[in-house]
Amino acid sequence: MTSKHHFSFENTEVAFRHASNSDLNRAYWLFRVINVNFLVKIGPPLTNFAIKVGLPIKGLIKATIFKHFCGGETIRECEKTIKTLAAGKVGTILDYSIEGEDDEQVFDSTCEEIIRTIRRAVKDKAIPITVFKVTGVGRFSLLEKLDKGDKLTDAEQQEWEKVQQRVLAICQKAFETGIPVMIDAEETWIQETIDHLALDMMRRFNKEKAIVYNTYQLYRHDKLQSIKDDYASAAKEGFILGAKLVRGAYMEKERRRADEMGYPSPIQPNKQSADIDYDAALEFCTDHVNRIAIVAGTHNENSCRLLADLLDEKGIDPKNTHVYFSQLLGMSDNLSFNLANADYNVAKYVPYGPIKAVLPYLFRRAQENTAIAGQMSRELSLITKEVKRRGR
Ligand SMILES: Cc1cc2nc3c(=O)[nH]c(=O)nc-3n(C[C@H](O)[C@H](O)[C@H](O)COP(=O)(O)OP(=O)(O)OC[C@H]3O[C@@H](n4cnc5c(N)ncnc54)[C@H](O)[C@@H]3O)c2cc1C
């Protein structure tokens, strides 16, 4: 499909301008390896085992897959990536990626770290938005209990108060500094609690400006309606709706659980339905761009093209701060850099944190980039194209 815009997602020169020949070479071999289904299957258990028995493989991980998909282990280590992205007019979203913890001290320190990402963003156009996950600052099973509507014990009630205080502290800091903060979406069986928290924060802090964003997963069949309902509340109560739009990351897990527990799957019947709702959400939100601020978190080329078309058709300035495109570091640079080069607002998630803590994130990225039926993954074909263009 050719675009009527002054950008092309096939332009690998712009997409990889930031990458040296040796960066490209490293990426080429990395994607060659993760293109192999078998290696991606045995990789996670082998890596976990090696780390458990103390084999010195952290250096290897840090120099390869971690280097490609993460900014570093600390904010300071991300500085080089922040600069490189900024040189291509792409913003950074520092994403402190600690997963699966359930310790109060870790929750406190994660909360402090997220606040540090907000502080780092102040007065720096290179970091236009920040992000966090509620499970980074609160226990998953506590959220699950709340979602079910179960009665909390006194101790749990106190624990819940602390989770809310952490979320409030983060959003308050975002409000004081004027730096927007997005709340990631997670599994359906904790999401209602997250949605309530996010809407509460929006009511409080989004009166003048989009400070807090919730995330809507359009692979759920009920989420297009949620956006419309939340928009109606925002219009009635006088706040701006912040909406990160994604398809959703937990499809298999969601379907498996629904199947095992015998309830109807919350996921759309097929990919096409998810695509239709995603694109309908883009339409709806751009129709109400004065009251809805969106971040389109997607690697889907058609959806990105559609959003650019919608801005064009509706006469929305590409630099309107209510519209951002967003991708993950190390993926879909052909979208991020070509859109940014054409003056759209673009920011990439730059995950960071201790290597061991970001391993689940890295395994998911590897999984996503394995080959489908012997084909080359999209990333690998783009890198190969650029290597050839450079005549190497
Ligand atoms: C910046 C950014 C932020 C993100 N934040 C979150 C977040 O907070 N929470 C979260 O859950 N995910 C998040 N994601 C991940 C996202 O939800 C998707 O998993 C991922 O981006 C792939 O979808 P896509 O739109 O990029 O591309 P595509 O390749 O077009 O879509 C793949 C997606 O389509 C859906 N899908 C595939 N097959 C089917 C099917 N048979 N039936 C129904 N649906 C199907 C699934 O969601 C799958 O991930 C984020 C992604 C990005 C880029």
Side-chain angles (χ1 to χ4, degrees):
M1 198 164 127
T2 51
S3 172
K4 60 185 174 193
H5 295 282
H6 52 297
F7 61 79
S8 158
F9 293 148
E10 297 304 318
N11 186 336
T12 58
E13 183 178 359
V14 169
F16 295 111
R17 200 177 273 157
H18 62 288
S20 66
N21 286 345
S22 82
D23 288 337
L24 217 53
N25 201 31
R26 181 174 34 80
Y28 173 80
W29 283 106
L30 180 69
F31 281 101
R32 276 285 299 264
V33 170
I34 60 184
N35 209 37
V36 181
N37 222 311
F38 165 72
L39 289 177
V40 171
K41 280 224 168 77
I42 61 162
L46 273 184
T47 311
N48 286 332
F49 173 76
I51 287 185
K52 210 173 245 166
V53 299
L55 290 179
I57 62 156
K58 277 196 186 163
L60 178 69
I61 296 171
K62 192 161 183 179
T64 54
I65 188 165
F66 182 88
K67 188 166 179 182
H68 188 82
F69 291 111
C70 296
E73 293 196 68
T74 59
I75 296 178
R76 190 190 286 259
E77 282 185 18
C78 293
E79 294 297 342
K80 195 168 165 244
T81 304
I82 298 171
K83 256 201 186 138
T84 307
L85 294 180
K89 298 199 265 181
V90 172
T92 287
I93 300 168
L94 287 169
D95 175 23
Y96 185 57
S97 289
I98 289 269
E99 294 190 21
E101 295 289 342
D102 62 359
D103 178 298
E104 287 293 298
Q105 264 179 335
V106 176
F107 294 145
D108 279 335
S109 69
T110 299
C111 177
E112 284 161 20
E113 183 65 24
I114 291 157
I115 289 175
R116 272 194 285 277
T117 64
I118 298 175
R119 286 211 190 95
R120 171 62 189 81
V122 176
K123 295 202 185 96
D124 189 349
K125 284 204 184 103
I127 310 182
I129 318 172
T130 56
V131 71
F132 73 100
K133 270 192 170 55
V134 176
T135 51
V137 297
R139 193 162 55 85
F140 191 100
S141 45
L142 178 71
L143 302 175
E144 198 175 356
K145 211 165 166 184
L146 282 154
D147 240 61
K148 270 200 279 187
D150 287 357
K151 197 169 161 16
L152 300 185
T153 64
D154 287 349
E156 283 170 339
Q157 189 56 42
Q158 277 181 13
E159 192 187 342
W160 173 227
E161 302 283 326
K162 282 182 107 181
V163 179
Q164 294 176 89
Q165 279 164 17
R166 291 183 194 112
V167 170
L168 179 62
I170 292 167
C171 297
Q172 178 85 40
K173 179 54 81 182
F175 177 71
E176 285 163 10
T177 53
I179 303 292
V181 66
M182 303 184 290
I183 302 179
D184 276 346
E186 307 190 50
E187 289 83 346
T188 44
W189 53 102
I190 59 167
Q191 190 58 39
E192 211 173 305
T193 305
I194 297 173
D195 289 342
H196 279 305
L197 265 178
L199 264 185
D200 255 13
M201 294 297 118
M202 283 192 223
R203 286 194 175 97
R204 238 171 147 133
F205 298 118
N206 285 15
K207 293 207 172 82
E208 312 268 316
K209 187 180 165 188
I211 291 292
V212 179
Y213 288 64
N214 196 16
T215 301
Y216 296 83
Q217 296 158 314
L218 281 308
Y219 70 177
R220 287 180 55 170
H221 52 65
D222 56 345
K223 279 292 151 177
L224 179 58
Q225 190 56 45
S226 300
I227 297 174
K228 294 179 179 172
D229 294 345
D230 291 350
Y231 165 73
S233 306
K236 190 164 154 228
E237 297 170 43
F239 64 91
I240 294 166
L241 182 68
K244 168 154 65 89
L245 307 178
V246 301
R247 281 183 172 73
Y250 310 98
M251 182 175 77
E252 277 154 31
K253 201 172 171 185
E254 291 282 356
R255 284 187 168 154
R256 203 180 323 118
R257 186 176 190 267
D259 195 39
E260 281 166 12
M261 295 176 68
Y263 61 87
S265 170
I267 306 300
Q268 306 263 14
N270 50 47
K271 169 80 161 74
Q272 197 194 4
S273 321
D275 291 347
I276 289 172
D277 273 13
Y278 191 90
D279 293 348
L282 292 177
E283 282 260 12
F284 181 82
C285 294
T286 47
D287 274 345
H288 303 284
V289 73
N290 289 335
R291 189 163 295 281
I292 311 184
I294 56 166
V295 173
T298 180
H299 296 148
N300 183 298
E301 296 184 11
N302 288 335
S303 295
C304 287
R305 213 176 276 117
L306 173 69
L307 180 54
D309 285 344
L310 290 170
L311 297 189
D312 208 24
E313 276 162 36
K314 296 177 186 182
I316 300 168
D317 182 353
K319 281 284 163 220
N320 187 320
T321 53
H322 275 196
V323 183
Y324 263 86
F325 294 81
S326 185
Q327 288 79 39
L328 308 179
L329 183 71
M331 286 183 69
S332 300
D333 281 349
N334 63 320
L335 306 185
S336 312
F337 286 94
N338 281 301
L339 285 165
N341 194 46
D343 267 344
Y344 293 94
N345 294 321
V346 184
K348 279 177 107 84
Y349 268 42
V350 174
Y352 75 96
I355 291 187
K356 213 175 139 194
V358 301
L359 278 179
Y361 176 86
L362 294 176
F363 295 151
R364 280 203 299 280
R365 295 292 79 77
Q367 191 69 53
E368 225 169 64
N369 284 289
T370 54
I372 308 155
Q375 282 171 12
M376 212 187 257
S377 73
R378 178 75 173 135
E379 295 298 336
L380 187 55
S381 74
L382 288 164
I383 294 164
T384 307
K385 185 174 170 198
E386 177 59 7
V387 169
K388 279 203 188 118
R389 195 198 62 81
R390 290 188 190 182
R392 296 171 55 241

